[in-house]
Amino acid sequence: MNSQTFTVRTMTCGDYEGLYALWRTIRGFAMRSIDDSREGVERFLKRNPSTSVVAADREGTIVGGILCGHDGRRGSLYHVCVREDWRRKGIGKAMVVHCMKALEAEQINKVSLIAFTANDIGNAFWNRIGWTRREDLNYYDFTLNEANITAFNK
């Protein structure tokens, strides 16, 4: 069992292996072949060096992570996850708060995220910590690179 002690810190490129290993354990988690590769995550972190976050246990094993960035106007959270045996210990909320403070420091005033409708655990989390589900808009997607294949964990 875990020690229930964790730290939350800004993500670095050196966290990729541990983060990717975590992503592979999350049931229903979707990863893209290019965007979620080492190079893709490094590109994202270079553009957003201070806003993404990881949570680690006492031994330094990554047990949670959020890719967080902004376009100068609106912040976005991607791949928010906590390892299953570490959930309901405040890690998710602590990581979100860390990201929000980092975005505020960069004068970002609004943050959004996308949660799959079938992600009951994730949707309950966002509702519990006070996020508002939007029902007044439609989300559209357009693929520029067909090689960026999305695969879901089983």
Side-chain angles (χ1 to χ4, degrees):
M1 204 65 191
N2 61 58
S3 64
Q4 296 191 23
T5 301
F6 64 91
T7 58
V8 174
R9 61 174 173 74
T10 302
M11 185 186 295
T12 69
C13 293
D15 293 318
Y16 180 77
E17 291 299 325
L19 186 65
Y20 187 80
L22 170 64
W23 290 345
R24 303 240 333 132
T25 69
I26 307 295
R27 189 174 316 142
F29 196 86
M31 291 183 286
R32 286 188 226 118
S33 58
I34 296 172
D35 294 339
D36 297 323
S37 68
R38 175 182 296 281
E39 296 77 16
V41 171
E42 287 176 355
R43 185 174 53 252
F44 185 86
L45 293 177
K46 184 177 179 183
R47 180 177 169 88
N48 303 281
S50 64
T51 52
S52 294
V53 65
V54 292
D57 67 12
R58 286 184 182 183
E59 290 76 41
T61 302
I62 294 176
V63 298
I66 301 175
L67 289 174
C68 174
H70 68 85
D71 59 9
R73 181 178 170 107
R74 180 181 298 246
S76 296
L77 303 182
Y78 307 93
H79 287 356
V80 178
C81 64
V82 175
R83 200 171 81 187
E84 190 171 351
D85 60 331
W86 279 83
R87 292 179 184 162
R88 311 251 342 144
K89 299 180 187 326
I91 294 173
K93 186 172 183 180
M95 291 190 308
V96 170
V97 167
H98 189 280
C99 290
M100 302 303 237
K101 287 180 179 178
L103 290 168
E104 283 180 328
E106 297 197 24
Q107 300 179 339
I108 301 301
N109 299 309
K110 190 153 183 138
V111 185
S112 62
L113 63 91
I114 298 169
F116 290 113
T117 55
N119 182 355
D120 295 333
I121 293 170
N123 287 303
F125 169 77
W126 296 114
N127 189 38
R128 188 169 53 253
I129 67 168
W131 283 59
T132 303
R133 182 173 175 246
R134 300 278 307 257
E135 299 196 26
D136 62 330
L137 53 81
N138 294 315
Y139 176 79
Y140 293 92
D141 221 347
F142 190 88
T143 301
L144 293 173
N145 185 347
E146 294 292 334
N148 194 23
I149 299 166
T150 301
F152 289 87
N153 293 340
K154 294 186 189 251

